[in-house]
C-alpha cells in the first residue's frame, strides 16, 4: 500500500514537472540558444531523479562513469522502463538528440518539447525509409557534436525477456563512423514495464567503453552491442 501511495505521489509530481519544464522550454526556451534548452531538459531529468529518491526511495549508481561520452557518439541503451528515459537526460551530457517514435510528437507539452530540441522522430512502419532517416539525420547531428541516443530493442522489454535488437543505430554507426557506447541497467526490476509502482532500492546502470565501428558491418555492431548489454544485465540484481 505504501509503495502504491508513494508511486502515485511521484506520478503526479512527474506530470507537474513535465508541465513546468515543458512550458518553460517551449516558451522562454525558444527565445534562447539551443544549449540553454538542452540544459533545461537536463534539469528536468535531475529534478525527477531527486523526486524518485525523496518520494519513492529509488536511487541509482553508475558503474563505468568514466565511459560516459563527452563528445559526439551513439549511445545504445537497454530499454526496460520509463526510468532510463528520465535518467539518461540527467546522466549524459546536455547535447542529446534521441531516436524516438513519431507518435510521441503528438503528445501535448511533451511532444512540443521534443520538437523544440533536434530529435529524430521516425515512423516505425516506414521500414527502409525510417532507417534512411536515422542515418541521414543522425549523421548530420553527430557532425554538430550531439550525442545520439537509441533503444535498439525499439520498445520496453521486461527483465528476463529477450527482444531482437534493431539495426537502425548500428547502420548509423557503420555509415557515420562515430563511436558507440553501450549501456545496460536493471531499472525494470524497480519500475516495471507499463507499471505504476516504483519499488525502493538502487538501480544499477553500467556504461560500457566506447568502441570504434570502423570496418564493421551493421550486423556485427548489433551483435556486439547486444552481447555486451545482455551479458551485463544478466549480472545485475533481479529483485528490488
Amino acid at each position: 500500500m505504501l509503495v502504491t501511495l508513494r508511486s502515485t505521489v511521484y506520478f503526479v509530481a512527474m506530470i507537474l514537472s513535465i508541465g513546468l519544464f515543458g512550458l518553460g522550454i517551449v516558451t522562454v526556451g525558444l527565445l534562447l540558444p539551443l544549449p540553454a534548452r538542452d540544459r533545461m531538459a537536463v534539469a528536468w531529468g535531475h529534478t525527477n531523479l531527486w523526486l524518485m529518491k525523496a518520494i519513492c526511495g529509488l536511487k541509482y549508481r553508475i558503474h563505468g562513469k568514466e565511459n560516459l561520452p563527452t563528445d559526439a557518439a551513439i549511445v545504445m541503451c537497454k530499454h526496460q522502463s520509463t526510468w532510463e528515459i528520465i535518467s539518461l537526460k540527467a546522466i549524459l551530457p546536455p547535447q542529446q538528440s534521441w531516436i524516438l517514435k513519431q507518435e510521441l510528437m503528438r503528445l501535448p507539452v511533451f511532444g512540443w518539447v521534443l520538437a523544440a530540441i533536434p530529435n529524430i522522430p521516425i515512423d516505425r512502419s516506414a521500414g527502409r525509409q525510417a532507417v534512411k532517416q536515422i542515418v541521414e539525420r543522425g549523421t548530420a547531428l553527430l557532425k554538430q557534436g550531439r550525442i545520439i541516443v537509441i533503444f535498439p530493442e525499439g520498445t520496453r522489454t521486461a527483465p528476463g525477456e529477450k527482444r531482437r535488437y534493431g539495426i537502425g543505430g548500428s547502420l548509423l554507426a557503420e555509415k557515420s563512423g562515430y563511436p558507440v557506447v553501450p549501456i545496460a541497467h536493471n531499472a525494470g526490476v524497480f519500475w516495471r514495464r507499463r507499471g505504476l509502482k516504483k519499488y525502493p532500492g538502487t538501480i544499477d546502470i553500467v556504461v560500457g567503453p566506447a568502441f570504434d565501428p570502423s570496418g564493421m558491418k551493421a550486423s556485427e555492431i548489433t551483435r556486439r552491442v547486444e552481447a555486451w548489454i545482455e551479458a551485463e544485465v544478466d549480472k545485475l540484481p533481479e529483485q528490488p
Side-chain angles (χ1 to χ4, degrees):
M1 180 65 73
L2 186 58
V3 169
T4 301
L5 176 60
R6 288 178 172 175
S7 298
T8 302
V9 171
Y10 169 71
F11 179 77
V12 173
M14 180 182 70
I15 296 300
L16 291 174
S17 76
I18 291 174
L20 178 63
F21 282 91
L23 291 175
I25 289 172
V26 299
T27 53
V28 177
L30 286 178
L31 301 176
L32 301 173
L34 176 58
R37 276 172 268 154
D38 284 332
R39 288 192 295 271
M40 292 171 75
V42 169
W44 172 77
H46 280 294
T47 297
N48 274 271
L49 288 176
W50 181 86
L51 288 169
M52 275 186 264
K53 180 180 178 180
I55 298 172
C56 303
L58 183 53
K59 300 171 286 185
Y60 71 96
R61 58 187 164 221
I62 304 176
H63 308 273
K65 191 172 184 178
E66 69 279 4
N67 295 325
L68 287 170
T70 55
D71 298 314
I74 302 163
V75 170
M76 298 193 193
C77 182
K78 182 71 177 174
H79 198 14
Q80 289 186 340
S81 77
T82 304
W83 181 84
E84 55 269 21
I85 297 174
I86 296 169
S87 64
L88 289 180
K89 271 295 177 187
I91 293 169
L92 294 172
Q95 66 276 17
Q96 303 171 33
S97 294
W98 290 50
I99 297 172
L100 45 85
K101 297 183 293 185
Q102 196 173 59
E103 306 92 90
L104 294 175
M105 306 295 288
R106 305 189 189 106
L107 295 175
V109 183
F110 192 73
W112 306 341
V113 173
L114 295 177
I117 294 172
N119 291 300
I120 309 173
I122 59 167
D123 178 359
R124 291 189 295 181
S125 66
R128 291 183 179 179
Q129 187 59 38
V131 173
K132 181 181 178 182
Q133 184 180 2
I134 289 173
V135 172
E136 292 181 352
R137 179 67 171 149
T139 300
L141 290 169
L142 286 164
K143 288 179 179 178
Q144 295 172 26
R146 298 189 69 81
I147 293 168
I148 305 298
V149 181
I150 184 170
F151 298 120
E153 292 162 296
T155 189
R156 288 170 286 187
T157 305
E161 295 182 4
K162 303 291 184 182
R163 189 180 297 272
R164 182 181 177 185
Y165 279 46
I167 203 167
S170 298
L171 273 172
L172 173 59
E174 177 191 333
K175 300 299 184 183
S176 70
Y178 280 84
V180 176
V181 179
I183 295 181
H185 59 82
N186 63 342
V189 171
F190 300 87
W191 186 343
R192 307 282 168 79
R193 177 174 176 257
R194 300 196 182 101
L196 172 67
K197 292 182 180 179
K198 292 111 186 129
Y199 296 92
T202 303
I203 293 169
D204 287 290
I205 182 166
V206 187
V207 185
F211 68 88
D212 183 355
S214 299
M216 299 173 67
K217 294 293 185 182
S219 57
E220 184 181 354
I221 296 168
T222 301
R223 286 195 299 270
R224 177 167 175 171
V225 168
E226 181 176 4
W228 186 90
I229 289 178
E230 296 301 324
E232 291 299 320
V233 169
D234 287 344
K235 299 175 188 176
L236 301 177
E238 298 178 351
Q239 296 295 328

